[in-house]
Protein backbone atom coordinates (compact mmCIF):
# COMPACT_ATOMS: atom_id res chain seq x y z
CA UNK A 1 0.00 0.00 0.00
CA UNK A 2 2.87 2.40 0.77
CA UNK A 3 4.34 2.08 -2.72
CA UNK A 4 0.88 2.39 -4.28
CA UNK A 5 0.20 5.74 -2.61
CA UNK A 6 3.69 6.93 -3.53
CA UNK A 7 2.95 6.06 -7.15
CA UNK A 8 -0.37 7.93 -7.03
CA UNK A 9 1.12 11.15 -5.70
CA UNK A 10 3.98 10.84 -8.18
CA UNK A 11 1.58 10.49 -11.10
CA UNK A 12 -0.47 13.45 -9.85
CA UNK A 13 2.38 15.85 -9.23
CA UNK A 14 5.36 14.70 -11.31
CA UNK A 15 4.22 12.95 -14.49
CA UNK A 16 3.61 16.09 -16.53
CA UNK A 17 3.84 14.15 -19.79
CA UNK A 18 0.57 12.40 -18.92
CA UNK A 19 -2.91 13.73 -19.72
CA UNK A 20 -4.35 15.89 -16.97
CA UNK A 21 -7.34 13.55 -16.66
CA UNK A 22 -5.06 10.62 -15.86
CA UNK A 23 -3.18 12.66 -13.28
CA UNK A 24 -6.40 13.92 -11.72
CA UNK A 25 -7.74 10.37 -11.49
CA UNK A 26 -4.60 9.33 -9.61
CA UNK A 27 -5.22 12.22 -7.22
CA UNK A 28 -8.81 11.19 -6.61
CA UNK A 29 -7.73 7.62 -5.89
CA UNK A 30 -5.17 8.97 -3.45
CA UNK A 31 -7.81 11.17 -1.82
CA UNK A 32 -10.01 8.12 -1.24
CA UNK A 33 -7.10 6.18 0.22
CA UNK A 34 -6.32 9.05 2.59
CA UNK A 35 -9.95 9.24 3.65
CA UNK A 36 -10.27 5.51 4.30
CA UNK A 37 -6.80 4.28 5.26
CA UNK A 38 -4.73 7.26 6.39
CA UNK A 39 -3.94 5.75 9.77
CA UNK A 40 -2.21 2.89 7.96
CA UNK A 41 0.13 5.19 5.99
CA UNK A 42 3.80 5.15 6.98
CA UNK A 43 5.13 8.41 8.37
CA UNK A 44 7.50 8.80 5.41
CA UNK A 45 4.63 8.38 2.94
CA UNK A 46 2.56 11.05 4.69
CA UNK A 47 5.44 13.50 4.54
CA UNK A 48 6.18 12.70 0.90
CA UNK A 49 2.55 13.34 -0.07
CA UNK A 50 2.42 16.62 1.83
CA UNK A 51 5.70 17.92 0.40
CA UNK A 52 4.71 16.92 -3.13
CA UNK A 53 1.38 18.71 -2.86
CA UNK A 54 2.89 22.00 -1.68
CA UNK A 55 5.60 21.87 -4.34
CA UNK A 56 3.09 21.28 -7.17
CA UNK A 57 0.26 23.71 -6.42
CA UNK A 58 1.41 25.79 -9.38
CA UNK A 59 0.98 23.02 -11.95
CA UNK A 60 0.18 24.30 -15.44
CA UNK A 61 -3.13 22.40 -15.59
CA UNK A 62 -6.05 23.87 -13.66
CA UNK A 63 -7.64 20.44 -13.13
CA UNK A 64 -4.43 19.13 -11.57
CA UNK A 65 -4.12 22.20 -9.31
CA UNK A 66 -7.69 21.73 -8.16
CA UNK A 67 -7.16 18.01 -7.49
CA UNK A 68 -4.03 18.75 -5.47
CA UNK A 69 -6.11 21.20 -3.42
CA UNK A 70 -8.63 18.42 -2.81
CA UNK A 71 -5.86 16.11 -1.60
CA UNK A 72 -4.59 18.88 0.69
CA UNK A 73 -7.96 19.46 2.33
CA UNK A 74 -8.50 15.71 2.72
CA UNK A 75 -5.19 15.52 4.58
CA UNK A 76 -6.31 18.45 6.75
CA UNK A 77 -9.50 16.62 7.65
CA UNK A 78 -7.32 14.01 9.33
CA UNK A 79 -5.85 16.62 11.64
CA UNK A 80 -4.87 20.13 10.61
CA UNK A 81 -2.75 20.53 13.74
CA UNK A 82 -0.58 17.62 12.57
CA UNK A 83 0.38 19.63 9.51
CA UNK A 84 1.52 22.78 11.25
CA UNK A 85 3.60 23.96 8.31
CA UNK A 86 0.70 23.98 5.83
CA UNK A 87 -0.94 27.36 6.45
CA UNK A 88 2.37 29.26 6.68
CA UNK A 89 3.46 27.57 3.44
CA UNK A 90 0.22 28.52 1.66
CA UNK A 91 0.49 32.05 3.04
CA UNK A 92 4.00 32.40 1.61
CA UNK A 93 2.89 31.05 -1.78
CA UNK A 94 0.34 33.87 -2.05
CA UNK A 95 3.30 36.20 -2.67
CA UNK A 96 4.78 34.00 -5.41
CA UNK A 97 5.48 35.80 -8.72
CA UNK A 98 3.90 32.96 -10.72
CA UNK A 99 0.13 33.54 -11.01
CA UNK A 100 -0.59 29.82 -11.32
CA UNK A 101 1.14 29.17 -8.00
CA UNK A 102 -0.94 31.90 -6.37
CA UNK A 103 -4.14 30.49 -7.86
CA UNK A 104 -3.29 26.97 -6.70
CA UNK A 105 -2.42 28.18 -3.18
CA UNK A 106 -5.55 30.32 -2.79
CA UNK A 107 -7.69 27.54 -4.21
CA UNK A 108 -6.25 25.17 -1.61
CA UNK A 109 -6.86 27.76 1.13
CA UNK A 110 -10.48 28.04 -0.01
CA UNK A 111 -10.98 24.28 0.22
CA UNK A 112 -9.32 24.11 3.65
CA UNK A 113 -11.51 26.98 4.92
CA UNK A 114 -14.63 25.22 3.66
CA UNK A 115 -13.78 21.92 5.35
CA UNK A 116 -11.71 22.92 8.38
CA UNK A 117 -12.71 26.46 9.42
CA UNK A 118 -13.27 25.43 13.04
CA UNK A 119 -9.85 23.76 13.23
CA UNK A 120 -8.26 26.91 11.81
CA UNK A 121 -9.75 28.89 14.70
CA UNK A 122 -8.02 26.76 17.33
CA UNK A 123 -5.72 28.58 19.78
CA UNK A 124 -2.70 26.91 18.20
CA UNK A 125 -3.48 28.48 14.81
CA UNK A 126 -4.90 31.80 15.97
CA UNK A 127 -1.77 33.73 15.00
CA UNK A 128 -1.72 32.17 11.55
CA UNK A 129 -5.38 33.04 10.98
CA UNK A 130 -4.80 36.64 12.04
CA UNK A 131 -2.17 36.94 9.31
CA UNK A 132 -4.05 34.91 6.71
CA UNK A 133 -7.41 36.73 6.70
CA UNK A 134 -6.08 40.21 5.78
CA UNK A 135 -3.84 38.59 3.17
CA UNK A 136 -6.79 36.81 1.60
CA UNK A 137 -8.77 40.05 1.65
CA UNK A 138 -6.26 41.63 -0.71
CA UNK A 139 -7.30 39.20 -3.44
CA UNK A 140 -10.98 40.22 -3.41
CA UNK A 141 -10.13 42.98 -5.89
CA UNK A 142 -7.90 40.82 -8.07
CA UNK A 143 -8.41 41.07 -11.86
CA UNK A 144 -8.46 37.25 -11.85
CA UNK A 145 -12.07 36.17 -11.25
CA UNK A 146 -11.01 32.85 -9.74
CA UNK A 147 -8.92 34.64 -7.15
CA UNK A 148 -11.83 36.96 -6.34
CA UNK A 149 -14.12 33.98 -5.87
CA UNK A 150 -11.62 32.02 -3.77
CA UNK A 151 -11.03 35.04 -1.53
CA UNK A 152 -14.69 35.82 -0.85
CA UNK A 153 -15.64 32.16 -0.47
CA UNK A 154 -12.77 31.62 1.99
CA UNK A 155 -13.80 34.57 4.15
CA UNK A 156 -17.46 33.56 4.09
CA UNK A 157 -16.62 30.37 5.98
CA UNK A 158 -15.67 32.35 9.10
CA UNK A 159 -18.76 34.55 9.32
CA UNK A 160 -20.91 32.12 11.39
CA UNK A 161 -18.25 31.69 14.09
CA UNK A 162 -17.04 35.33 14.03
CA UNK A 163 -13.37 34.84 14.97
CA UNK A 164 -11.56 37.95 16.12
CA UNK A 165 -9.31 37.75 13.08
CA UNK A 166 -12.35 38.45 10.89
CA UNK A 167 -14.06 40.93 13.21
CA UNK A 168 -10.93 43.08 13.09
CA UNK A 169 -11.34 43.42 9.33
CA UNK A 170 -15.13 43.13 9.17
CA UNK A 171 -15.77 46.57 7.69
CA UNK A 172 -13.28 45.92 4.92
CA UNK A 173 -14.87 42.53 4.23
CA UNK A 174 -18.38 44.02 4.06
CA UNK A 175 -17.21 46.81 1.77
CA UNK A 176 -15.60 44.20 -0.48
CA UNK A 177 -18.95 42.43 -0.79
CA UNK A 178 -20.63 45.70 -1.74
CA UNK A 179 -17.94 46.46 -4.30
CA UNK A 180 -18.49 43.17 -6.12
CA UNK A 181 -22.28 43.01 -6.02
CA UNK A 182 -22.33 43.49 -9.78
CA UNK A 183 -19.19 41.50 -10.55
CA UNK A 184 -18.90 40.15 -14.09
CA UNK A 185 -18.35 36.64 -12.70
CA UNK A 186 -21.52 34.77 -11.70
CA UNK A 187 -19.50 32.69 -9.23
CA UNK A 188 -18.35 35.87 -7.49
CA UNK A 189 -21.91 37.27 -7.42
CA UNK A 190 -23.10 34.02 -5.87
CA UNK A 191 -20.39 34.23 -3.21
CA UNK A 192 -21.37 37.86 -2.51
CA UNK A 193 -25.02 36.87 -2.00
CA UNK A 194 -23.94 34.04 0.29
CA UNK A 195 -21.74 36.32 2.36
CA UNK A 196 -24.48 38.94 2.79
CA UNK A 197 -27.01 36.31 3.87
CA UNK A 198 -24.56 34.93 6.43
CA UNK A 199 -23.92 38.43 7.78
CA UNK A 200 -27.65 39.11 7.99
CA UNK A 201 -28.06 36.02 10.15
CA UNK A 202 -25.20 36.64 12.59
CA UNK A 203 -24.28 40.36 12.31
CA UNK A 204 -27.47 42.11 11.12
CA UNK A 205 -26.60 45.42 12.79
CA UNK A 206 -23.58 45.78 10.54
CA UNK A 207 -25.82 45.67 7.45
CA UNK A 208 -28.66 47.89 8.67
CA UNK A 209 -27.17 51.18 7.39
CA UNK A 210 -27.32 49.77 3.85
CA UNK A 211 -30.20 47.32 4.21
CA UNK A 212 -32.44 49.10 1.72
CA UNK A 213 -29.74 48.97 -0.95
CA UNK A 214 -28.97 45.35 -0.08
CA UNK A 215 -32.65 44.40 -0.42
CA UNK A 216 -32.77 46.04 -3.85
CA UNK A 217 -29.61 44.16 -4.82
CA UNK A 218 -31.11 40.86 -3.68
CA UNK A 219 -34.29 41.56 -5.61
CA UNK A 220 -32.20 42.14 -8.70
CA UNK A 221 -30.09 39.02 -7.99
CA UNK A 222 -33.21 36.87 -7.56
CA UNK A 223 -33.79 37.55 -11.25
CA UNK A 224 -30.19 36.73 -12.25
CA UNK A 225 -29.83 34.64 -15.39
CA UNK A 226 -27.51 32.31 -13.48
CA UNK A 227 -29.79 30.11 -11.39
CA UNK A 228 -27.11 29.52 -8.75
CA UNK A 229 -26.91 33.25 -8.11
CA UNK A 230 -30.69 33.58 -8.02
CA UNK A 231 -31.07 30.64 -5.66
CA UNK A 232 -28.49 32.10 -3.28
CA UNK A 233 -30.33 35.43 -3.37
CA UNK A 234 -33.57 33.67 -2.48
CA UNK A 235 -32.04 32.74 0.86
CA UNK A 236 -32.11 36.43 1.73
CA UNK A 237 -35.91 36.50 1.58
CA UNK A 238 -36.02 33.64 4.08
CA UNK A 239 -33.62 35.29 6.53
CA UNK A 240 -34.63 38.94 6.23
CA UNK A 241 -38.23 38.69 7.61
CA UNK A 242 -36.78 37.33 10.87
CA UNK A 243 -35.07 40.65 11.53
CA UNK A 244 -36.84 43.27 13.70
CA UNK A 245 -38.76 45.92 11.75
CA UNK A 246 -37.95 44.25 8.45
CA UNK A 247 -41.52 44.90 7.31
CA UNK A 248 -40.63 48.57 6.86
CA UNK A 249 -38.27 47.58 4.07
CA UNK A 250 -40.30 44.63 2.77
CA UNK A 251 -43.71 46.26 2.40
CA UNK A 252 -42.70 48.71 -0.34
CA UNK A 253 -40.89 45.87 -2.16
CA UNK A 254 -43.76 43.37 -2.12
CA UNK A 255 -45.43 44.54 -5.35
CA UNK A 256 -42.17 43.78 -7.16
CA UNK A 257 -40.91 40.90 -5.01
CA UNK A 258 -43.95 38.62 -5.08
CA UNK A 259 -44.19 38.43 -8.90
CA UNK A 260 -40.47 37.67 -9.08
CA UNK A 261 -40.70 34.84 -6.55
CA UNK A 262 -43.75 33.37 -8.24
CA UNK A 263 -42.05 33.57 -11.62
CA UNK A 264 -38.98 31.75 -10.29
CA UNK A 265 -40.93 28.91 -8.68
CA UNK A 266 -40.61 25.34 -9.98
CA UNK A 267 -43.54 22.98 -10.25
CA UNK A 268 -43.57 19.20 -10.46
CA UNK A 269 -45.52 17.49 -13.25
CA UNK A 270 -48.35 16.82 -10.80
CA UNK A 271 -48.47 20.49 -9.79
CA UNK A 272 -48.77 21.50 -13.41
CA UNK A 273 -51.58 18.98 -13.96
CA UNK A 274 -53.44 20.35 -10.93
CA UNK A 275 -53.05 23.93 -12.11
CA UNK A 276 -54.48 22.87 -15.45
CA UNK A 277 -57.36 21.05 -13.81
CA UNK A 278 -60.02 23.29 -15.30
CA UNK A 279 -58.95 22.58 -18.86
CA UNK A 280 -61.41 20.59 -20.95
CA UNK A 281 -59.55 17.36 -21.66
CA UNK A 282 -62.41 14.94 -22.18
CA UNK A 283 -61.01 14.10 -25.63
CA UNK A 284 -57.60 13.07 -24.17
CA UNK A 285 -57.38 9.37 -23.25
CA UNK A 286 -56.64 8.66 -19.59
CA UNK A 287 -53.17 7.38 -18.80
CA UNK A 288 -52.88 4.09 -16.97
CA UNK A 289 -51.18 5.81 -14.03
CA UNK A 290 -54.12 8.24 -13.81
CA UNK A 291 -56.68 5.50 -13.16
CA UNK A 292 -54.57 2.79 -11.55
CA UNK A 293 -55.64 2.43 -7.88
CA UNK A 294 -53.04 3.01 -5.19
CA UNK A 295 -53.13 0.78 -2.12
CA UNK A 296 -51.18 2.05 0.85
CA UNK A 297 -50.08 -0.47 3.43
CA UNK A 298 -48.98 0.86 6.78
CA UNK A 299 -47.25 4.05 7.81
CA UNK A 300 -43.99 3.20 6.08
CA UNK A 301 -45.72 2.73 2.74
CA UNK A 302 -47.63 5.94 3.22
CA UNK A 303 -44.47 7.86 4.03
CA UNK A 304 -42.84 6.53 0.89
CA UNK A 305 -45.78 7.73 -1.14
CA UNK A 306 -45.72 11.19 0.39
CA UNK A 307 -41.99 11.65 -0.12
CA UNK A 308 -42.08 10.47 -3.72
CA UNK A 309 -40.73 13.37 -5.80
CA UNK A 310 -43.63 12.94 -8.23
CA UNK A 311 -46.18 13.92 -5.62
CA UNK A 312 -44.35 16.49 -3.53
CA UNK A 313 -45.48 20.06 -3.83
CA UNK A 314 -42.56 22.41 -4.17
CA UNK A 315 -43.27 25.84 -2.79
CA UNK A 316 -39.65 26.83 -3.00
CA UNK A 317 -37.66 29.15 -5.18
CA UNK A 318 -36.14 27.01 -7.89
Amino acid sequence: MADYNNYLIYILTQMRNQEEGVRAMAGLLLKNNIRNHYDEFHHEVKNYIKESCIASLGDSHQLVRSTIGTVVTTLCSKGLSEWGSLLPALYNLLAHPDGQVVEGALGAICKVCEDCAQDMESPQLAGTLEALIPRVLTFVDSPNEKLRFYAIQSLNQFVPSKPQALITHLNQYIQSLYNHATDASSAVRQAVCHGLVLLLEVRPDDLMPQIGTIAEFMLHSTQDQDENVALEACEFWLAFPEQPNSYEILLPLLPRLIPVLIHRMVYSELDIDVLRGNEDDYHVPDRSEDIKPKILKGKQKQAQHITNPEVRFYFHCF
Side-chain angles (χ1 to χ4, degrees), residues 294-305:
K294 293 182 174 63
I295 300 175
L296 304 181
K297 296 181 180 180
K299 294 182 179 180
Q300 182 178 2
K301 202 69 174 179
Q302 185 175 5
Q304 292 174 354
H305 174 67

Side-chain angles (χ1 to χ4, degrees), residues 59-74:
D59 193 274
S60 59
H61 295 290
Q62 193 277 331
L63 178 60
V64 174
R65 293 196 300 271
S66 178
T67 305
I68 293 173
T70 299
V71 173
V72 168
T73 192
T74 306

Side-chain angles (χ1 to χ4, degrees), residues 116-127:
C116 307
Q118 289 185 340
D119 295 334
M120 295 174 71
E121 297 170 27
S122 65
Q124 297 90 332
L125 298 174

Side-chain angles (χ1 to χ4, degrees), residues 28-309:
L28 294 177
L29 290 171
L30 177 61
K31 177 204 73 173
N32 291 334
N33 286 345
I34 293 171
R35 178 178 295 171
N36 298 322
H37 306 289
Y38 188 67
D39 292 340
E40 303 170 15
F41 284 25
H42 295 159
H43 181 71
E44 294 78 9
V45 174
K46 293 179 181 179
N47 288 338
Y48 177 58
I49 293 172
K50 293 175 181 178
E51 292 170 1
S52 298
C53 285
I54 295 298
S56 303
L57 279 170
D59 193 274
S60 59
H61 295 290
Q62 193 277 331
L63 178 60
V64 174
R65 293 196 300 271
S66 178
T67 305
I68 293 173
T70 299
V71 173
V72 168
T73 192
T74 306
L75 287 165
C76 292
S77 69
K78 295 301 180 179
L80 182 58
S81 59
E82 296 180 6
W83 195 357
S85 62
L86 172 65
L87 294 180
L90 293 177
Y91 176 90
N92 291 333
L93 288 177
L94 293 179
H96 199 281
D98 188 333
Q100 290 181 339
V101 174
V102 175
E103 184 180 311
L106 192 55
I109 289 172
C110 183
K111 287 182 170 67
V112 174
C113 290
E114 289 176 348
D115 294 347
C116 307
Q118 289 185 340
D119 295 334
M120 295 174 71
E121 297 170 27
S122 65
Q124 297 90 332
L125 298 174
T128 302
L129 193 60
E130 289 175 0
L132 187 63
I133 283 182
R135 188 73 181 94
V136 170
L137 261 171
T138 64
F139 289 96
V140 174
D141 295 321
S142 169
N144 184 326
E145 66 179 62
K146 287 184 179 178
L147 297 185
R148 297 197 302 273
F149 169 75
Y150 289 149
I152 295 175
Q153 188 71 355
S154 298
L155 296 169
N156 286 349
Q157 308 309 312
F158 298 103
V159 174
S161 55
K162 301 172 288 187
Q164 186 57 46
L166 179 63
I167 298 302
T168 301
H169 303 278
L170 188 62
N171 290 336
Q172 184 182 353
Y173 163 66
I174 293 174
Q175 188 60 50
S176 297
L177 295 180
Y178 293 160
N179 292 344
H180 292 279
T182 57
D183 198 279
S185 166
S186 60
V188 173
R189 296 197 304 275
Q190 181 183 355
V192 168
C193 290
H194 183 52
L196 290 173
V197 171
L198 290 172
L199 284 167
L200 183 66
E201 292 175 344
V202 301
R203 301 276 302 195
D205 291 344
D206 293 299
L207 298 186
M208 286 303 117
Q210 298 289 336
I211 195 62
T213 302
I214 293 172
E216 288 285 351
F217 161 69
M218 289 298 184
L219 178 58
H220 175 76
S221 297
T222 305
Q223 304 169 72
D224 199 286
Q225 293 182 353
D226 188 303
E227 292 190 352
N228 292 321
V229 177
L231 182 58
E232 199 67 59
C234 283
E235 296 293 332
F236 177 83
W237 306 114
L238 296 175
F240 186 43
E242 298 179 0
Q243 302 304 319
N245 302 321
S246 60
Y247 66 90
E248 296 178 359
I249 302 295
L250 278 174
L251 282 178
L253 289 175
L254 288 181
R256 289 183 292 152
L257 174 61
I258 291 176
V260 169
L261 293 178
I262 291 175
H263 176 71
R264 302 315 297 262
M265 287 172 62
V266 164
Y267 297 91
S268 69
E269 291 184 7
L270 179 61
D271 298 333
I272 294 173
D273 289 341
V274 170
L275 292 173
R276 293 174 177 170
N278 293 329
E279 293 183 0
D280 190 359
D281 62 351
Y282 67 91
H283 60 283
V284 179
D286 290 332
R287 299 174 300 177
S288 60
E289 56 266 33
D290 292 333
I291 60 177
K292 184 179 179 180
K294 293 182 174 63
I295 300 175
L296 304 181
K297 296 181 180 180
K299 294 182 179 180
Q300 182 178 2
K301 202 69 174 179
Q302 185 175 5
Q304 292 174 354
H305 174 67
I306 293 173
T307 57
N308 188 306

